[in-house]
Amino acid sequence: MVLADLGRRINSALAQINKEPVIDAKVLDALLKDICAALLGADVNVRLVSTLRNNVKNTVNIQEVAAGINKRKLIQKAVLDELCKLVEPGIEPYKPKKGRVNVIMFVGLQGSGKTTTCTKLAYHYQRKGWKVCLVCADTFRAGAFDQLKQNATKAKIPYYGSYTETDPVQIAHEGVEKFKKEGFEIIIVDTSGRHKQEAELFEEMKQISAVVNPNNTIFVMDGTIGQAAESQAKAFHEAAEIGSIIITKMDGHAKGGGAISAVAATHSPIIFIGTGEHIHDLERFEPRRFVQKMLGMGDISGLLETVQDLKLDQNKNLMKNLEQGIFTIRDMYEQFQNISQLGPLSKMMQMMPGMSEMNFEGSDELGAQRIKRLMTIMDSMSEVELDSDGKLFHVQPKRIQRVARGSGTSVREVEELLLQHKAFQGMVKKFGGNKGLFKGMGAPGMDNSKSSPQQMMTQMQRMMPRGMNMNEMMRQMMGGMGGGGLGGMGGMPDLSQMQNMMKQMGLGGLPGMGGNRK
Ligand code: GDP
Ligand code: MG
């Protein structure tokens, strides 16, 4: 059972008790039976499932619950808490420290995704402004160094390795020493795996660990391995001091439940999950967020983090504009630039509540193509046009024709771009200003820590026009970038759809648009 299905089953079990007229021990037992069956079906370790069942039963002692207490809520909360406990060891993961050397060593079986994840993690930190590098201490797998070199080069991350040296301990030592001298803050050491847990591998792991003296040892585990996870995690934990876990291959149809058992076996927190083969496919793992997302409640804090990654705060002009409710064409250009750097749009979409169910697969390529095309159009605009709110195009329609010619696109495409800009501008007007959403999102000098994700969400919802559903709006806004037809402009929402949506948002249509089409 994949995790989304697990979430659905647990959800429906929890919803079921709302329908029961009386909550008694029998109802609770039936609920727990359903939930446990679902967890076992997702490969969660048998012992953990049984602990969960007992804990819920102990927390919710049906006979003793005082009258007037909402038993349904009590049960639902207990289940949610226990699900979180499954993935939460209660230990803070190691946090790299700025301005000093942090050595991170990767361990795990061959094929678990170490090399891929090393680069993802390095890229993650690099994007956040750390000075990061990679060391390849895998001399066991043929072509291991080439693989790491290729990944690192693509992501522009400095690396160290050797084609001739056969002793991984020697390479690890040299690499780490070299990068230490060069003042790197995060040194990630990739090691070799074996096909199975072997004494030889563990010996090598210990030796490397002894020379590089890691601040954190990350155990990489394949999310698809099922019930074997516990013994594997235990074996690694006994040989190396595991500090954190990354579970890979949580995309596609991984059951994932098995790997979750590694938390209990190692008493270590899962810090990230891998959700694909590409460098962007790494998601920060937080127990409560994970459980909520699994149960279909959306991942608001993840979304906020992604939005923060857009570095709105580094873009002082944009922030100033946003606060005043201004959004120029240049602002849009810069946002597209940010988005294309940030990686797949679908990642962002999946974090929206209720959106995780939607299938955005295969749409990234289209989205990227479409953004490129829009940027090409804007490249043909003059400075004055870029810094404008777009109105001058309607006053002087010749400008539209010139831009279309200059960018090798059509008048219609330029018009569509202007329409899209107007839609964004409308959002900024609604969200911006003093009470606006963007204010809390990392504007310079602003304290952002006080808004919880929930507060943010409420705030966002409050700002929406009445009757307008947030998800629906996002889908319509992004529809053009994500899904839909091939060719030329990719899946642009058609003009009438766009006009419609703008009306819904209370922005009105574009006067005189659509008339001067070639
Ligand atoms: P290593 O032997 O532990 O270094 O594993 P590799 O990094 O070479 O990965 C083994 C295979 O798993 C490669 O084909 C990767 O592309 C793939 N892989 C790694 N992480 C993920 C992931 O999160 N999702 C998917 N779908 N594939 C992954
Ligand atoms: Mg490898």
Side-chain angles (χ1 to χ4, degrees), residues 22-298:
V22 183
I23 305 293
D24 54 16
K26 230 173 85 192
V27 171
L28 180 60
D29 277 343
L31 167 88
L32 285 174
K33 201 172 147 216
D34 278 355
I35 290 178
C36 292
L39 288 167
L40 291 172
D43 268 344
V44 179
N45 180 282
V46 183
R47 214 163 9 78
L48 295 177
V49 174
S50 127
T51 309
L52 177 141
R53 179 192 209 124
N54 291 335
N55 286 355
V56 174
K57 273 187 145 177
N58 289 337
T59 316
V60 191
N61 195 335
I62 287 287
Q63 271 87 37
E64 285 171 23
V65 175
I69 301 257
N70 187 332
K71 287 183 195 162
R72 293 180 180 84
K73 285 255 144 54
L74 200 66
I75 292 174
Q76 285 164 342
K77 183 176 179 303
V79 171
L80 198 69
D81 286 348
E82 285 303 317
L83 287 172
C84 290
K85 259 198 230 162
L86 275 184
V87 284
E88 195 169 45
I91 292 168
E92 278 292 306
Y94 175 78
K95 284 208 175 62
K97 291 173 191 67
K98 273 270 177 199
R100 49 161 274 196
V101 186
N102 301 271
V103 177
I104 300 176
M105 176 173 157
F106 271 58
V107 301
L109 285 191
Q110 178 150 319
S112 61
K114 285 181 303 300
T115 306
T116 314
T117 313
C118 272
T119 331
K120 287 182 187 174
L121 189 70
Y123 181 70
H124 168 86
Y125 282 123
Q126 191 184 53
R127 235 175 42 194
K128 293 198 178 298
W130 295 76
K131 204 173 168 210
V132 195
C133 58
L134 288 161
V135 175
C136 173
D138 179 0
T139 51
F140 182 78
R141 185 175 180 165
F145 180 40
D146 277 326
Q147 185 195 4
L148 181 128
K149 197 168 138 182
Q150 225 171 40
N151 288 348
T153 309
K154 239 196 234 162
K156 300 198 177 65
I157 296 162
Y159 58 87
Y160 183 86
S162 167
Y163 286 113
T164 47
E165 176 60 62
T166 52
D167 179 9
V169 182
Q170 181 67 22
I171 298 177
H173 185 63
E174 282 170 12
V176 169
E177 288 310 310
K178 168 180 154 28
F179 285 130
K180 266 185 184 166
K181 278 196 204 98
E182 293 172 10
F184 279 85
E185 292 169 303
I186 296 184
I187 305 175
I188 297 179
V189 183
D190 185 18
T191 65
S192 77
R194 298 288 191 272
H195 289 296
K196 54 183 171 51
Q197 301 148 29
E198 287 169 4
E200 197 188 337
L201 165 65
F202 291 138
E203 190 43 46
E204 181 179 306
M205 225 166 66
K206 279 181 193 160
Q207 286 177 16
I208 294 177
S209 186
V211 295
V212 305
N213 201 8
N215 300 91
N216 188 17
T217 300
I218 297 181
F219 173 49
V220 178
M221 176 172 254
D222 184 330
T224 64
I225 64 167
Q227 296 279 354
E230 198 195 22
S231 71
Q232 192 189 111
K234 259 202 183 119
F236 271 91
H237 186 57
E238 275 156 24
E241 222 175 283
I242 305 292
S244 324
I245 302 169
I246 294 181
I247 302 179
T248 61
K249 308 183 196 179
M250 292 290 271
D251 47 319
H253 294 280
K255 286 184 174 180
I260 283 170
S261 318
V263 172
T266 61
H267 304 289
S268 305
I270 303 170
I271 50 170
F272 285 95
I273 54 174
T275 54
E277 299 190 55
H278 298 289
I279 195 152
H280 297 286
D281 300 330
L282 186 72
E283 290 177 20
R284 190 184 284 286
F285 182 92
E286 272 165 31
R288 201 153 272 270
R289 207 202 268 182
F290 175 78
V291 171
Q292 284 181 347
K293 193 175 167 192
M294 186 178 79
L295 296 178
M297 299 179 205

Side-chain angles (χ1 to χ4, degrees), residues 349 355 358 360 420 423-424 468-482 491-494 496-505:
M349 298 308 293
M355 298 292 280
M358 290 191 47
F360 287 96
Q420 183 136 33
F424 277 129
M468 180 82 193
N469 170 306
M470 175 89 189
N471 297 340
E472 188 52 28
M473 190 203 75
M474 281 304 286
R475 196 166 54 212
Q476 289 187 18
M477 290 289 296
M478 307 300 268
M481 300 176 192
M492 188 77 170
D494 66 35
S496 59
Q497 201 183 330
M498 197 95 155
Q499 295 270 22
N500 221 353
M501 167 188 119
M502 288 169 68
K503 259 195 227 114
Q504 249 180 305
M505 290 176 66

